[in-house]
Amino acid sequence: MGGNTERIEQDIARAREDLANTLDALAERANPQRLADEAKSKALVTLNHPAVKYSAAGVGALVLLLLVRKVVK
């Protein structure tokens, strides 16, 4: 009977350790600063593709041209 109790206590201790590790992993994955850094990195990678970069420059130039035309009229 005593061996059974020790085994159960070990199982409980192992389950607590597993839960603590899971909570630590979840806390790291949900860290707002880390999420913001990842989003920023992904956005920079996307914006550095030539197709996106030149398209954004073209749209910006078009908007600037339209604003200048509207001001001049």
Side-chain angles (χ1 to χ4, degrees):
M1 190 77 175
N4 234 4
T5 304
E6 289 175 14
R7 186 179 52 80
I8 292 171
E9 287 175 353
Q10 289 172 352
D11 288 345
I12 291 171
R14 201 172 314 119
R16 282 185 183 144
E17 184 67 27
D18 289 344
L19 180 59
N21 290 336
T22 301
L23 289 174
D24 289 343
L26 287 173
E28 177 61 29
R29 288 174 61 186
N31 183 330
Q33 183 63 46
R34 189 191 62 79
L35 293 173
D37 290 343
E38 279 185 9
K40 181 180 174 183
S41 295
K42 287 180 183 178
L44 288 175
V45 167
T46 300
L47 289 174
N48 282 327
H49 287 294
V52 175
K53 188 186 296 186
Y54 296 131
S55 297
V59 169
L62 181 61
V63 168
L64 182 64
L65 178 68
L66 292 173
L67 285 174
V68 168
R69 255 183 95 180
K70 188 170 185 167
V71 170
V72 171
K73 282 186 174 183

